[in-house]
Amino acid sequence: MSRTPLDTVEHAAETPDVELPWAELGLKKDEYERVVEILGRRPTGAELAMYSVMWSEHCSYKSSKVHLRQFGEKAPQSDALLVGIGENAGVVDVGQGYAVTFKVESHNHPSYVEPYQGAATGVGGIVRDIIAMGARPVAVVDPLRFGAADHPDTKRVLPGVVAGIGGYGNCLGLPNIGGEVVFDACYQGNPLVNAGAIGVMRHEDIHLAKASGAGNKVILYGARTGGDGIGGASILASETFDDAKPSKRPAVQVGDPFQEKLLIECTLEAFAEKLVVGIQDLGAAGLSCATSELASNGSGGMRVTLDDVPLRDSTLSPEEILMSESQERMCAVVEPGKVDRFLEICDKWDVIATVIGEVTDGDRLEIFWHGGKIVDVDPRTVAHDGPVYERPYARPDWQDALQADDANKLPRPQTGQELKDQVLRLVSSPNQASKKWITSQYDHFVQGNTVLAQPEDSGMIRIDEESGLGVAIATDGNGRYAKLDPYAGAQLALSEAYRNVATTGAKPLAVSDCLNFGSPEDPAVMWQFAEAIRGLADACQQLGTPVTGGNVSLYNQTGEAAIHPTPVVAVLGVIDDVARRTPVAFQEEGQLLYLLGDTREEFGGSAWSQVVHDHLGGLPPKVDLERERLLAEILISASRDGMIDSAHDLSDGGLIQAVVESALLGGKGARLIVPDGLDAFTLLFSESAGRAVVAVPRSEELRFNDMCGARGLPVTRIGVVDGDTVELQGEFELTLEELRRAHEDTIPALLA
Amino acid sequence: MARVVVDVMLKPEILDPQGQAVQRALPRLGFEGISDVRQGKRFELEVDGPVDEAVLARIHDLAESFLANTVIEDFTVKVESEEAVAGAAK
Amino acid sequence: MARVVVDVMLKPEILDPQGQAVQRALPRLGFEGISDVRQGKRFELEVDGPVDEAVLARIHDLAESFLANTVIEDFTVKVESEEAVAGAAK
Amino acid sequence: MTARIGVVTFPGSLDDRDTQRAIRLAGAEPVALWHKDKNLHQVDAVVLCGGFSYGDYLRAGAIARFSPVMEPLIEQAKAGLPVLGICNGFQILTEAHLLPGAMLGNDHLHFICRDQKLRVENADTAWTTDYAAGQEIHIPLKNMDGRYVADERTLDELEAEGRVAFRYLDVNPNGSLRDIAGITNAAGNVVGLMPHPEHAVEPLIGSGRTDGLPFFTSILKKLVNA
Ligand SMILES: Nc1ncnc2c1ncn2[C@@H]1O[C@H](COP(=O)(O)OP(=O)(O)O)[C@@H](O)[C@H]1O
Ligand SMILES: [Mg+2]
């Protein structure tokens, strides 16, 4: 088919037999037929471009939708939830008139192809989601996963990803206050680059992505639109559909954090002057997504003149303009009387802003190009009525064998010397080693409100200077646990993030998640996915922390080999006065160390089994959500009432990992004893959930024990903060210097 | 000894925020008449021994696999110093 | 329309860690025989109209006062596209 | 009466609000200045704060140096107006040649964020009188382009005249020549340093120390007593 004449709606109606390259654009035959049925004619090229991107897995959640519904269906009653799933990000009431919005998203594949830009634009995207809710972004976090630490490609991917996250976030002035770095061969060709952001606003400032009020103007502002991230649309733009020349349009975008910083400031200024009726960021699917979502969430229709979109490349076709994923763009709906002021603010910040259309009375989204109407659709059919798949799923046949391969039966260290060797191996292993080399590339201080940042259990930001009100966030996920049991694995991820927030003294309120899995077309992966969601939804219900939003990343797989199922969970908490926060570092010699919770022989999926035996098998630690809740209550009360001076939750690596971290951070050692009923090995390396270790000043000992006793939380005295060694009495002793070298030299040696 | 220069520039269709920032500053400096600025990287490699076809081919590989990421960048390889070319021709 | 290229390199006496990092990586990539690498910047300026002496002089000033910081950097200015030179010569 | 201290916001400035807070905590009055301002609104002193003005594109500080506000600032700084450049502000001051030398990318090629130990070498500048010469302090450092370089003659001159105001201790975080963290002009009214004193003014926040507050109390005293 020749591209002249323009493929208008009229032209499409007159030429019903024209074959469109729907398959090349990623649509299935029945999906294309659906589009024809919806329109009552064949789509124009521009319409096809819109439907194909909006109905992609990434934008439509077609494989995951049926499962994600559980987050809504099982959502616990929570007064804190102001905006739930479905908007750009959820919004939580944190008191004193403040609301907080937060979300985690993936940018996995682009970060593998171009680590720096892939990761950088990941941060850019999540931050625009936060601004679009009306909030000032106040912090970012970055849960990351890479292939084996010593694999040559990790040396290409990791430094680039870290530099990209830092390069973008630092330049925006957002403190990076937490995240994860995990190495596992299963992520070799599929690193996971997840990025989260938090924003703060007053309740009355919440904004939504909807276009209402006929006559209101649609303003596109930010960067010019270029040919980035277009992929399939180039096929539509080529001279003829059957000439198969390779796409000139790059799939990777380059970010401009400076432009985004200006976008933040001018958007917030426009919000402050109440100039904005509705707003949407441009992310995946660019203008296709922004226009169809704004229109379908509003009351009317929308008319857009594509010729008015400022371009970086004048050769772009209308299809490409609609699909371009150029970064650093936003779309606002503004009343006609306020347009001038809006444009003035953009001009003040040197941001290009253009009226590209308006809200109409009807219910159609109409898009024009060179005077012809090239799109005429019901926007709901584009944005919300995408296909929904009930993909088959089945528990994989290898699951039983994996669980039967019990890690508790692995050979254990027999002597003090063996224990000592294994402790050193553990704390120096890439996964357990200090991530300082990475996190010191991130600004923690900017904005002057950072109370806690990595390597604390959760990041904490003050949001009110007068009252000391603050929020905390932690992200966690353990793909090894989830591989052994995806239902429990997802619950353990939530448990850990919840516990991390409580350990710093904040009350967990709400959840966001990023679900990273292999191909949904593999029934085994689909089972992992379904189980993980069921587990997370059940656990959120029980803990009373609703899922406010999140992100699904599928197809993280090379050939037949999928990544471990990796649900990453972010928990947001609130603390009335950040002066009461509890740090990880030991504060004072002589303080008593207590272990809270039950320690069982639980080594399935443990760091010990990985480091010492290169083993993955058995069952993950037992989930006990009521225990997590009780532990959290105790940790929060103890912090509020000044009963503890430091606390650290126990997770991968177990007790010894936590004690070593607290000792190194505080520059103070610890003398440990093996309590009755436990053996040294289990005490040190077990990964039983629902535990934390706290340091209690002697003056508080009685009060603290009474509180735990009264509420029924097991509490065991395990030692004292003391000296400049970590010693397990009768077994071994390691100097802080020795431990510091083991813990801190690993990552620089691998990557620097 | 010869010098080989590898110039790496962002592909024309890729956003070049640095070049744009420079261009936008020009009018403020009283400079008109420059319609576009692109900023890239220049690598100067000092090569031991003669630069023959084989060496250039290897430097081309190096540029392609390491100095540039061809997903977003183009590059060119040039022998710079005249003696070098002579040396290579020997 | 003509293209003028400004190359900016760190002065030889100034440490260039980026160039060094590239050089250090070379053996790992199986590359021997490169004794030094320096990394600098390349600016491509698209000039409206002919590039005559006066325009070149102004670009020279621009490079000196803006594109390079002469406390630490040296620069060179070259007209690149052949048509441009022809155009300028008209 | 208290002093009015201007804080310039360029496009891409990040620590403007934090710097204003530090000025307030010290008891002075912060005044927001905009990069397009053609005058300094009669402030008594100016802080050029940290961030990535113009994205740090081209070179850190290179584009901001040509902003309208810099014209009166350069003129008045030469006439004795106290000016403090923190991080990006320091970079702008070198690009504007109010301070000698130049700033290059860190020698390890990474952004670095750490709580940095420093020695106060000159406690006589407008911004450092509340320190004692030789005092050791901790101030957060965070930058990509913090490597201070100048030719040998300039460095010797700075040393001889006592114009090295701050030196890195324990760790040189970026390869700065002679461990220089901050310098002053000959008159002592223009000071630049890479670490961020405005992030060390509250016990709970950031590094948890208040070692940076004396910058702001020093200038306040000087201005109020003047
Ligand atoms: N990529 C990262 N970005 C920011 N912070 C990180 C990153 N990786 C790890 N951290 C921080 O390092 C600390 C230790 O990480 P981790 O061992 O995963 O914590 P935990 O076991 O408490 O979840 C935490 O404070 C975490 O937020
Ligand atoms: Mg923790």
Side-chain angles (χ1 to χ4, degrees), chain A residues 136 170-171 173 256 258 261 348 350 437 440-450 462 465 579 581, chain D residues 11-15 17-18 21 34 36 52 54-55 57 110-113 140 142 199 202 204-207:
Chain A
R136 173 175 284 282
N170 296 340
C171 191
D256 181 358
F258 170 58
K261 166 69 177 165
K348 169 183 167 189
D350 300 324
W437 184 83
S440 69
Q441 297 183 45
Y442 304 147
D443 186 346
H444 313 145
F445 298 112
V446 63
Q447 295 198 4
N449 285 311
T450 306
R462 175 179 66 182
E465 276 181 55
R581 92 275 177 267
Chain D
S13 290
L14 301 179
D15 301 317
R17 277 180 293 262
D18 311 17
R21 181 196 290 125
W34 182 239
K36 289 177 187 164
F52 290 77
Y54 293 94
Y57 294 139
H110 299 293
F111 187 94
I112 177 90
C113 177
K142 35 169 225 182
H199 287 140
E202 292 182 274
L204 259 182
I205 300 298
S207 67

Side-chain angles (χ1 to χ4, degrees), chain C residues 15 17-18 41 66-68, chain D residues 58-59 95 107 109 147 149:
Chain C
L15 176 71
Q18 284 188 318
K41 298 175 194 164
F66 183 58
L67 297 179
Chain D
L58 186 56
R59 288 180 310 278
E95 285 285 341
D107 59 355
L109 302 176
R147 175 163 54 115
V149 297

Side-chain angles (χ1 to χ4, degrees), chain A residues 36-60:
Chain A
V36 174
E37 187 191 318
I38 287 170
L39 295 174
R41 58 172 162 78
R42 77 157 173 92
T44 65
E47 287 167 340
L48 184 65
M50 291 186 80
Y51 278 104
S52 69
V53 277
M54 290 301 290
W55 286 13
S56 69
E57 185 65 59
H58 186 70
C59 293
S60 74

Side-chain angles (χ1 to χ4, degrees), chain A residues 23 338 370 437 658 741:
Chain A
K338 294 179 172 171
H370 292 0
W437 184 83
R741 261 181 285 122

Side-chain angles (χ1 to χ4, degrees), chain A residues 586-645:
Chain A
F586 290 152
Q587 302 293 311
E588 232 171 276
E589 301 226 356
Q591 297 196 339
L592 302 166
L593 293 175
Y594 283 95
L595 171 60
L596 308 181
D598 287 307
T599 303
R600 292 175 287 265
E601 294 196 35
E602 293 186 299
F603 299 99
S606 66
W608 174 80
S609 70
Q610 182 178 34
V611 171
V612 175
H613 295 287
D614 191 16
H615 178 271
L616 177 58
L619 291 174
K622 179 168 162 258
V623 178
D624 182 346
L625 298 167
E626 279 318 308
R627 170 57 59 79
E628 298 290 353
R629 189 207 293 274
L630 175 61
L631 176 71
E633 280 172 16
I634 296 272
L635 287 165
I636 295 164
S637 301
S639 109
R640 197 181 43 229
D641 297 344
M643 285 185 251
I644 55 179
D645 271 6

Side-chain angles (χ1 to χ4, degrees), chain D residues 33-56:
Chain D
L33 299 177
W34 182 239
H35 68 113
K36 289 177 187 164
D37 286 347
K38 293 203 172 68
N39 71 76
L40 301 180
H41 302 285
Q42 280 95 45
V43 293
D44 304 308
V46 174
V47 183
L48 298 180
C49 66
F52 290 77
S53 58
Y54 293 94
D56 272 5

Side-chain angles (χ1 to χ4, degrees), chain A residues 456-457 476 496 500 648-649 651:
Chain A
E456 299 288 350
D457 279 326
D476 284 292
E496 188 182 344
N500 273 315
H648 200 356
D649 91 299
S651 56

